[in-house]
Amino acid sequence: MVPVSFFTQRTKEDYDHGKALALLDNRYKDKLTSLPKEKGWFTENLHLYQDFWHESARVVSAVTVMASQDNFQAQPTDIYIATLQKSGTTWVKALSFAIINRTIYKTNSLSTHPLQILNPHRCVPFVEIEALHRLPTYVDGHSPRLFSTHMPYTSLPKSVLDNGCRIVYICRNPKDVLVSLFYYANRLRDKSIGQLTFEEAFEMFTKGVIPLGPYWDHVKGYYMAALERPKEILFLTYEDMQKDTVNNVKRLAEFLGYPFSKEEEDEGEVDKIVKLCSFETLKDVNKHGVVNKGFPNDVFFRKGKIGDWTNHLTDEMSQCLDEITKIKFDGLDISF
Ligand code: PAP
């Protein structure tokens, strides 16, 4: 069992990735400067790498993707939670962590469950951040190793695909992703580049210029892969998860290889996990503190609802996104 203290003990390096990032920036400087650039959402620029836009000088960025591709070694038992930002990452991380570790933490009272103390992002590390770590993280002594990633399917480290690792992908209505990303970016943007207006954000989103975008290509990459490799890739939507959380959590547990027994269901184990990972519970746990330097815990919990876009998009904006989505997702069975 991984003791809870393992999650809570912090080292300076663990908290501040600045030095490790600077080393990577230096290592990949030539590659980075040769890439096409656009205005960034969090930092000055986005860089087009392998057909997708990536931030610079951030933990999930062009250089950490490059470093992961060069160095990350997957194991066949690994499980990856893949998402485009703001699509349900934090929720699925919490759920997957709680499902996989439910026997380990079962005997403990809820207050000592890691998710009652820590942000899900501290419990499930990003592959991209592994590129910055020189110290062991909990996943090193744990099987299966549970990771998350924002990388597009086509950019995943080769060993993830070669090893047939399981991947859970969650996508969300692009209009809600846009709104969520807009607020998130304005909270975390470098002060030097000022705030984004919603109109600017909309414009960039429609052009596909968002971190890890274009949105449609990211989703389509995993959707097509899930069709080809259904045993290895589970494709979920935020909206389905919201509308029928219990059944989707059971589906997730089965896919992860940790199905709920009839006995567990009768004992309310599914409901307990749903509650532990609910927006309300997690928001409350994460009112204070930080995940890493510059990432307050509470920034991952805004409204947690379907359809907040109706409060932000004009009819014209909404129609524009509908049209792009119709064209890009033509022939795909994705509905929000
Ligand atoms: P990330 O990719 O940066 O980690 P991610 O977790 O994918 O972000 O998305 C955050 C969104 O999920 C927020 O949506 P909102 O801005 O529309 O409110 C956040 O509120 C929502 N969210 C976080 N945790 C949960 C949860 N447990 N249940 C439902 N929604 C959640």
Side-chain angles (χ1 to χ4, degrees), residues 92-221:
V92 175
K93 276 186 170 192
L95 285 169
S96 304
F97 181 87
I99 289 168
I100 289 177
N101 293 300
R102 68 181 183 272
T103 51
I104 296 174
Y105 296 111
K106 196 172 189 162
T107 49
N108 293 337
S109 73
L110 265 188
S111 64
T112 54
H113 192 292
L115 290 168
Q116 286 288 106
I117 308 167
L118 292 166
N119 192 297
H121 287 283
R122 296 244 355 122
C123 298
V124 182
F126 275 97
V127 172
E128 293 87 328
I129 297 181
E130 286 293 290
L132 304 170
H133 273 291
R134 271 156 294 152
L135 296 170
T137 60
Y138 101 93
V139 288
D140 293 319
H142 208 264
S143 180
R145 302 190 308 171
L146 182 59
F147 286 107
S148 71
T149 182
H150 283 320
M151 279 184 242
Y153 184 74
T154 43
S155 291
L156 288 173
K158 203 171 160 294
S159 60
V160 173
L161 302 180
D162 289 351
N163 276 302
C165 300
R166 266 169 296 178
I167 300 172
V168 179
Y169 186 78
I170 181 159
C171 79
R172 186 181 187 186
N173 185 332
K175 297 174 190 173
D176 280 334
V177 171
L178 162 62
V179 172
S180 187
L181 185 62
F182 168 71
Y183 282 103
Y184 182 72
N186 272 338
R187 271 198 71 187
L188 300 184
R189 260 164 91 81
D190 287 352
K191 295 270 175 302
S192 58
I193 55 174
Q195 293 279 288
L196 272 177
T197 65
F198 190 71
E199 287 69 25
E200 279 174 311
F202 172 79
E203 184 91 353
M204 287 154 85
F205 193 97
T206 54
K207 285 196 289 180
V209 183
I210 63 165
L212 287 313
Y215 163 90
W216 300 273
D217 301 26
H218 200 284
V219 174
K220 193 171 172 180

Side-chain angles (χ1 to χ4, degrees), residues 213-233:
Y215 163 90
W216 300 273
D217 301 26
H218 200 284
V219 174
K220 193 171 172 180
Y222 281 95
Y223 178 88
M224 299 308 287
L227 284 185
E228 279 167 30
R229 309 167 62 181
K231 285 205 180 109
E232 285 152 31
I233 304 172

Side-chain angles (χ1 to χ4, degrees), residues 83-91 121 150 172 180 184 238 242 277-279 282 300-305:
T83 56
L84 181 98
Q85 283 187 339
K86 314 331 289 176
S87 302
T89 321
T90 315
W91 193 12
H121 287 283
H150 283 320
R172 186 181 187 186
S180 187
Y184 182 72
Y238 182 87
Q242 284 273 19
C277 302
S278 70
F279 176 80
L282 294 183
F300 297 96
F301 309 93
R302 194 182 62 91
K303 285 197 171 173
K305 297 249 177 306

Side-chain angles (χ1 to χ4, degrees), residues 247-311:
N247 275 317
N248 278 292
V249 166
K250 286 198 232 167
R251 212 176 137 212
L252 176 62
E254 226 154 87
F255 177 81
L256 295 173
Y258 291 79
F260 290 98
S261 64
K262 168 94 180 47
E263 206 175 36
E264 282 182 306
E265 285 192 27
D266 292 346
E267 283 167 7
E269 194 61 32
V270 184
D271 295 331
K272 261 195 254 167
I273 285 180
V274 168
K275 186 157 185 271
L276 175 70
C277 302
S278 70
F279 176 80
E280 291 72 24
T281 307
L282 294 183
K283 189 178 168 81
D284 197 47
V285 171
N286 289 279
K287 275 191 296 222
H288 310 291
V290 294
V291 180
N292 299 118
K293 193 175 179 194
F295 287 85
N297 280 327
D298 72 344
V299 78
F300 297 96
F301 309 93
R302 194 182 62 91
K303 285 197 171 173
K305 297 249 177 306
I306 299 175
D308 190 34
W309 66 265
T310 54
N311 300 315

